[in-house]
Amino acid sequence: MISPKGRIGLGCFVVLWTLSSCADPDGEEHASLQLPSRPTGMTRLELVSAEGELAFAAPVLVGEEWRNAVVLAPEAQWRAQAQVPAGASLRFGYGRKESGTRLGDGGDLERPTLTLTLSREGESVHEQVLLMPGRRKAGRTWKNVEVPLEPYAGDTLEFTFAFSKAPAVLSCALTSPRLVQPRDDAPTVVLITSDTHRRDHLGLSEGEGSVETPVLDQLARDGVLFEDCFAGTNITLPSHASILTGLSVRDTGLVSNSMGLLPRARALAEAYAEEGWFTMALFSAQHLRHGLSGLGQGFDRMRGPTKESEAPASISIGRFDRWLETEEGIPVFIWLHLFDAHAPYKPPEELERHYYDVALDPCDSEQFSLPAGIEVPWAVRGNKKVLDLNYILGLYKSEVTHLDRQLAALMDHPRVRRSTLAFTSDHGEVLGNHGLYFMHQGIYPDTLAVPLILRWPGSPKGLRVPAAVTHQDLGRTLLDLSGLSASSFPGNSLLHWVEEPQDPTPARYAISSGADTAAIEKEGWLLFLHLRDHDSPTRVQHQVELFDLNADPSCQQDRVEGEFKRARSMRADLIAWLDASTGSLTSGRVTSPDVTAELKALGYVENVGADPGDRWYEPDQGSPWCVRFEQ
C-alpha cells in the first residue's frame, strides 16, 4: 500500500507521499509526488451552554437548505472561547426555525433577536444585535454573518450567542461558528457523482455505447482513469451511502431508496469537518435530502430540490460556483450529485436527435415497434408513443453528452482547476440486456460497471489503471490525497493500484436493491446467489449463476455446470462475506404516501424486499440448490 514517507506537520497539515513507478501511456516514469504543507485556515468553535453542556450540531432545514447547526430556544445562551489568530474573522449563519404554525403566547413581543457579544477578560469589547428573519418568504433563508477580528489578534476572546425572548414555537438555528484565515492556496476536494451513468458511456471508452464527452475525456487525460470500477449495488441512495461512508451495503443495511442512514454512521464529510475543512453538498434528486436519506451528516451546507422531484445540472452547478465563492480561501470538500442521465431521458431540443437519424419518425408504427412486453410511459413525442428503441437509446446518450457540456464551466473554475477531483457514478443502466430496460434492475455489469476518474495536483496524466476496484474506496483515497491519512475511515486507498497495478485484486461484492441477490466478482468471474424469489429477471431463492466476464461480459452463458468447483468456492466466499456483517446502520424504511409519491415521480417502483434480520442469507437444506452445493 502507499504510505506516508514522512509527516510534515500535525493535525490538518498535508503529508508527503511517494508514488513509485507511475507510468504514463508513453512509458515515462513520474517523479515522486510531493504535496505542499498547508494549514487549514479554519477553526471551529466549541459551543457550551450556560449549564456547561456541549452543543451537538445536526443538519437543520431552513427554507430549502440544510446547515449543520445548533437550535437555540428562547432566552438560551451559548458560549465559546478561543485565541484569535492574526488575520482571522468570525463566520456563522443563523435562521428562523418554527416548530408549529401558531405563534401562540408571546406573539406581541418585539421582533426576536440574536445577540453576539465578544468579551476579553470578562469585559465586553464588541456587541452585535441581529434581527431574526420574519415569516415571509425572504425570512425563510439562512443569514450569513462575518465579523473581522483583526483588532483582537492574539487575544483570547469569549464569544456569546444569546437568543432573546420569543414565542415558544420559535427558535434560532445557529450554524457552527468558526474562525477563518483565508489563504490563496486553500485546497479543494470535489466529488462528482453522475447518477445512472454507465462506464461505457464515455467518449474514451472502447465499448459500443461510446458517446461524445470531451470534458470528461480531458479530465481522464489530465489524471487517472480506472477502467474496471464496480459499484456495490444498483440503486441510488444505498450506493451513495456506500461512497460517503466507505461501507458496503452489507454493513449499511440500505437496500431501498426509502431507507436512511443512522446518525451513528461515520460519513466522509464528518472526517473532513473534523480536520478543519468546510463541507458542502449539492444533490439533484429529492430523495437524497437529509431528512429521508441521512446523507447530510457532516456537511456544513446541503441543498437540493425540496419541491420538484429533481433539479437539472445547470441549477446544481450554478449553486456550486456560488457556494465556492463564499468560502474562498479555506479548505473545502464539496460533493456534487447530478441526475441528468437518469430516466426519463429529456435532453435539450438541440440534442434530442444527436444520436438518431433526423429523417426517421420514431413514432411510426409501420416501421417500428418496441420489444414485446416493454412499456416506456415517459417516451412520447407530442401525444404519440415512441416505438423505436434506438431513439430512446439515443436520448440516453444525449443526456450524457448534455451533462458533459454542463461540466465545462465547472471544470474551468479556478479552484476546480487546481483541485483534487473524483468523477464517478452511483450505478449504471440497463439498455436491453436480459430483457431489462431503463430502470437499472439487477446487478449485472450493466448496472455495476461505473466510470471512475481521479485527478489531483501532481497526478500522473493519462494513466489507465486496469485493476478491478470499487468506488466504495473513494473516500479513503480522497482523504489520503488530502494529507489526512491519519483520519479514521474505512476502505483501501485506490492509489495502491496506481503504484502497484500488477498486484492481484481482491474480490468485489454487491447486493441488489431489495436484497434480492448478492454477488461476488473474483478474477474475472461473476457469481450470483439469489437470496429470495424475485422477478426482473425471474429467479428462485438459493439459485446460483456463474459468468465468465472476460469471454461473456454481458452474462449470457451460465457456467455453473462446467465450473462447479469454482462456483462452490465462490459461493462459500460470498456467504462468509455476508455473515461477516458488522450490523445495520439504517433507520429503516419510510413508508409515508408522500415518500412513495416522490419516488414514483422519479420512475421508481420500490422493491423494498425483505428485512435481512440477523443474517443476509440462511441456507435451506430443503432446497435442491443448497443440497447440491453443501454436500
Side-chain angles (χ1 to χ4, degrees), residues 531-582:
L531 306 181
R532 68 187 188 107
D533 297 346
H534 65 90
D535 296 321
S536 299
T538 300
R539 296 292 185 267
V540 299
Q541 188 177 23
H542 309 297
Q543 183 177 348
V544 175
E545 297 177 274
L546 179 67
F547 302 98
D548 179 355
L549 295 181
N550 292 318
D552 178 26
S554 60
C555 300
Q556 300 297 324
Q557 298 179 347
D558 185 358
R559 300 289 302 279
V560 165
E561 298 301 328
E563 294 282 345
F564 186 77
K565 183 178 179 181
R566 183 191 301 273
R568 173 184 280 172
S569 174
M570 291 180 67
R571 175 183 178 274
D573 288 348
L574 177 56
I575 293 173
W577 177 78
L578 290 170
D579 285 344
S581 171
T582 58

Side-chain angles (χ1 to χ4, degrees), residues 143-211:
K143 306 301 179 184
N144 299 317
V145 180
E146 182 160 3
V147 181
L149 299 178
E150 186 59 39
Y152 316 111
D155 294 342
T156 297
L157 293 184
E158 183 176 79
F159 304 81
T160 303
F161 298 87
F163 187 37
S164 67
K165 288 184 178 180
V169 297
L170 181 63
S171 54
C172 174
L174 173 67
T175 66
S176 302
R178 50 206 169 97
L179 301 182
V180 298
Q181 297 169 275
R183 299 178 59 90
D184 292 338
D185 58 352
T188 309
V189 174
V190 181
L191 169 61
I192 301 174
T193 56
S194 175
D195 208 295
T196 323
H197 196 143
R198 288 172 61 108
R199 184 170 69 203
D200 59 6
H201 275 54
L202 292 176
L204 46 73
S205 297
E206 297 177 358
E208 295 181 358
S210 184
V211 297

Side-chain angles (χ1 to χ4, degrees), residues 58 78 109 146 165 181 280 284 304 328 337 342 345 351 401 461 490 503 539 560 605 608 631:
W78 291 83
L109 294 173
E146 182 160 3
K165 288 184 178 180
Q181 297 169 275
M280 301 186 284
S284 301
E328 188 64 36
H337 164 257
H342 193 285
Y345 314 138
L351 282 172
T401 295
K461 291 183 179 293
D503 277 7
R539 296 292 185 267
V560 165
V605 178
V608 297
Q631 64 185 6

Side-chain angles (χ1 to χ4, degrees), residues 224-511:
V224 179
L225 172 68
F226 291 85
E227 297 180 303
D228 185 9
C229 180
F230 265 21
T233 188
N234 61 320
I235 191 165
T236 297
L237 199 161
S239 188
H240 280 98
S242 288
I243 294 172
L244 295 173
T245 63
L247 299 173
S248 68
V249 169
R250 178 199 68 180
D251 295 326
T252 65
L254 274 69
V255 294
S256 162
N257 278 326
S258 58
M259 303 174 79
L261 272 178
L262 287 170
R264 62 185 174 89
R266 177 170 166 78
L268 180 60
E270 291 175 296
Y272 273 105
E274 289 168 4
E275 299 291 345
W277 292 56
F278 196 74
T279 57
M280 301 186 284
L282 288 157
F283 61 95
S284 301
Q286 191 181 49
H287 63 297
L288 293 185
R289 69 186 187 278
H290 176 75
L292 175 62
S293 70
L295 297 182
Q297 56 199 58
F299 284 107
D300 290 296
R301 299 183 72 176
M302 185 181 197
R303 183 163 180 177
T306 57
K307 297 176 182 177
E308 303 297 327
S309 59
E310 60 183 285
S314 58
I315 296 295
S316 298
I317 290 173
R319 288 173 179 153
F320 178 100
D321 289 342
R322 294 192 295 274
W323 281 19
L324 269 187
E325 296 299 330
T326 64
E327 300 302 333
E328 188 64 36
I330 65 171
V332 166
F333 165 65
I334 184 166
W335 165 42
L336 174 65
H337 164 257
L338 303 171
F339 202 65
D340 296 56
H342 193 285
Y345 314 138
K346 296 179 180 178
E349 184 177 353
E350 65 270 19
L351 282 172
E352 180 185 344
R353 289 175 172 264
H354 195 67
Y355 296 100
Y356 188 75
D357 190 339
V358 295
L360 297 177
D361 178 5
C363 303
D364 187 347
S365 59
E366 294 184 1
Q367 280 189 284
F368 307 112
S369 62
L370 291 174
I374 300 303
E375 291 289 336
V376 191
W378 46 263
V380 294
R381 300 188 76 240
N383 59 356
K384 293 184 178 180
K385 199 173 183 180
V386 171
L387 300 173
D388 187 359
L389 182 62
N390 287 325
Y391 175 80
I392 304 175
L393 298 178
L395 292 180
Y396 176 66
K397 292 182 180 181
S398 293
E399 286 281 28
V400 172
T401 295
H402 177 59
L403 173 69
D404 185 82
R405 293 180 180 181
Q406 298 295 302
L407 288 171
L410 181 147
M411 295 297 181
D412 199 41
H413 191 289
R415 286 197 72 165
V416 175
R417 284 202 302 267
R418 63 176 188 266
S419 71
T420 293
L421 189 148
F423 177 89
T424 191
S425 175
D426 54 347
H427 54 73
E429 181 62 290
V430 283
L431 302 176
N433 193 22
H434 294 273
L436 304 175
Y437 292 89
F438 313 130
M439 284 309 299
H440 44 87
Q441 305 104 312
I443 48 175
Y444 293 105
D446 307 70
T447 57
L448 293 186
V450 293
L452 176 56
I453 304 171
L454 265 177
R455 185 212 62 199
W456 65 92
S459 66
K461 291 183 179 293
L463 181 66
R464 292 190 175 212
V465 175
V469 301
T470 72
H471 65 194
Q472 180 183 316
D473 289 326
L474 254 181
R476 178 69 269 163
T477 306
L478 293 175
L479 288 169
D480 289 350
L481 284 170
S482 305
L484 306 178
S485 60
S487 179
S488 175
F489 199 79
N492 299 301
S493 178
L494 295 170
L495 299 179
H496 173 69
W497 307 113
V498 176
E499 183 185 42
E500 301 291 347
Q502 303 306 316
D503 277 7
T505 54
R508 298 182 289 186
Y509 301 91
I511 296 175

